[in-house]
Amino acid sequence: MKLLKSVLVATALALATSSAAIAQRTDIVIGMVLEPPHLDPTAGAAAAIKEVGYANIFEGLTRIGPDGAVQPGLAESWEISDDGKVYTFKLRTGVTFHDGADFSADDVKFSIDRAMAEDSVNPQKGLYSAIEKVEVVDPATVVVTLKHPQGAFLWNMGWGEAAIVSPASADGNKEKPIGTGPFKFENWAKGSSITLVKNPDYWGEEVALDKAEFRIIPDAAAAVPALLSGDVHAFSNMPAGDALPQIESDPRFKVVIGSTEGETVLATNNKKEPFDKLEVRQAIAHALNRDEIIAGTPPGLGVPIGSHFAPHHPAYVDLTGTYPYDPEKAKELLAQAGFPDGFSATLKLPPPGYARDGGQIIASQLRQVGINLEIIPLEWADWLSQVFTDKNYDLSIVSHVEPMDIGIYARPDYYFQYQNPEFNAVMEELEVTTDEAKRNELYGKAQRILAEDAVNGFLFQLPKVGVWDAKIEGMWENWPLSVADLTKVHWTE
């Protein structure tokens, strides 16, 4: 009997120890579709850069939480002057960069001045357009003076591109990123994975994970078996394709369908003939069958949009009826524009499934009205170079995942090459407006201008298909920013 009791006790202890070991798992493998071109969020527009580094490696004065609300970041608090133009930030103390350098107000001034500089390569330089000057009061206090009140200023300082960097390491952040976040960069196996490890000297709440690997898995054909085999534990936004129902029915996984800020558009070069003609762009808009495009781009969960704005936002205006699907009307408009027999053009597509699958459908739809597209698949780096930077394209398909980014249409050098003084005036008024109701009214006006100008083919809002091991908690359900913030992620039993 004693022997039996001893065996039972030993077995119970072993089971308890085993359960504890499982509960205490501290590694994770996150699948991601696109490999970033580099890892410096202050020097590149690719969303994949922020997907890895936001809140993990790099931090800003403020940060955006999973609900989209502005939270304190490296600034623990702030005061705003009565006229709304002066922000006094109280910074956290005892913060160090990953290389051991102390963080102070000097780093904040350096980072903002660097982003504002004439030779700045910050992809969101416009975030800083309202700033007049930055002054260091003491190591823990910095004062930012604006040229005028800016309702979105604290939100802007929470973007990934607004990361605070150190003068000593800023130039090396593309290959060896050094921030103040709870994870440190360890290794980048190009084409395969990026590994982060816990920062033992982090100033804030300790994270549960000791190690996080971001594994590059570009398509559903590879993503699904990687998940099912356990090689990958989670996808912030999974290219599940037609396999989504299978995954949803598997109790080992949790599937959460959320929203994103990803306006998926048929990007159009507005300065290139014949797309510089309104009638041509209107014809394309009438030729697009959004329902068919959404149904044909697995998992078929996109929400139709008629302008560049997220449907979940209170200022959203449903403009999908501006140019309803009407192939005959499209042909009439092409004839009016001088193309009764149509024309030929190119469609350059980046790697994501929504672009490659959607491109085939759109090419078929436009062919029905006389527009013949040559499909040119591009790797992500080539798309960034040819389309985004050099503007060497006719049409493309991409999801713009930055939050509240309708202002990109006012940038004269942006790759759409769209210019409209009326739209720019709305953006200028919005910039100095702090009243929420008035801001929403202006957002609505801006949406209508873009829709009527048919600047792009506005397709759908990209859904967020979150898939992860059922024992994982703390992943973002929605994407106010397209990031994989791991600060609250942990394993349960």
Side-chain angles (χ1 to χ4, degrees), residues 63-347:
R63 61 169 294 178
I64 309 303
D67 61 353
V70 176
Q71 302 174 353
L74 289 173
E76 63 181 10
S77 63
W78 49 82
E79 294 180 358
I80 308 172
S81 62
D82 291 340
D83 63 4
K85 292 168 59 176
V86 181
Y87 287 72
T88 302
F89 292 96
K90 193 65 178 176
L91 307 179
R92 299 187 189 276
T93 57
V95 178
T96 59
F97 287 91
H98 298 155
D99 60 357
D102 290 330
F103 160 77
S104 74
D106 290 329
D107 300 303
V108 175
K109 178 173 173 56
F110 166 78
S111 298
I112 296 178
D113 286 348
R114 176 173 177 256
M116 293 169 56
E118 187 175 344
D119 61 351
S120 168
V121 294
N122 193 299
Q124 299 294 344
K125 187 176 179 180
L127 294 176
Y128 301 87
S129 61
I131 298 176
E132 181 177 293
K133 61 182 178 179
V134 183
E135 300 171 287
V136 173
V137 176
D138 57 52
T141 310
V142 66
V143 175
V144 179
T145 302
L146 306 182
K147 302 169 188 174
H148 51 72
Q150 185 184 46
F153 177 65
L154 290 173
W155 169 272
N156 291 349
M157 292 301 98
W159 281 42
E161 291 80 0
I164 302 301
V165 298
S166 165
S169 55
D171 290 342
N173 280 335
K174 286 187 175 182
E175 294 298 321
K176 187 178 180 181
I178 293 176
T180 57
F183 292 94
K184 301 170 66 172
F185 170 77
E186 183 179 69
N187 180 60
W188 185 0
K190 297 292 178 71
S192 178
S193 64
I194 299 166
T195 303
L196 312 183
V197 294
K198 179 188 289 189
N199 173 16
D201 302 315
Y202 184 55
W203 60 265
E205 182 180 343
E206 183 180 5
V207 292
L209 299 173
D210 289 331
K211 181 179 180 180
E213 175 189 333
F214 289 85
R215 191 169 298 172
I216 315 304
I217 305 177
D219 55 55
V224 174
L227 180 77
L228 296 177
S229 68
D231 288 344
V232 170
H233 305 132
F235 284 87
S236 292
N237 195 15
M238 184 178 180
D242 295 331
L244 186 61
Q246 173 192 353
I247 298 169
E248 286 181 307
S249 65
D250 192 324
R252 294 178 298 163
F253 307 108
K254 182 182 293 184
V255 177
V256 179
I257 308 301
S259 62
T260 77
E261 290 289 332
E263 290 81 27
T264 306
V265 301
L266 177 65
T268 306
N269 194 335
N270 281 247
K271 277 190 177 179
K272 192 169 184 180
E273 295 181 350
F275 307 103
D276 57 343
K277 293 188 176 183
L278 176 61
E279 292 88 352
V280 169
R281 300 196 304 273
Q282 290 174 323
I284 291 173
H286 277 302
L288 297 174
N289 183 334
R290 291 188 189 89
D291 291 340
E292 185 179 35
I293 295 167
I294 292 170
T297 52
L301 299 171
V303 178
I305 56 173
S307 189
H308 197 102
F309 217 77
H312 57 256
H313 193 279
Y316 173 74
V317 180
D318 184 356
L319 297 167
T320 52
T322 305
Y323 297 108
Y325 176 59
D326 189 341
E328 293 307 313
K329 181 65 175 178
K331 293 176 183 177
E332 291 177 15
L333 286 163
L334 286 176
Q336 291 175 24
F339 300 96
D341 300 320
F343 60 87
S344 297
T346 60
L347 176 62

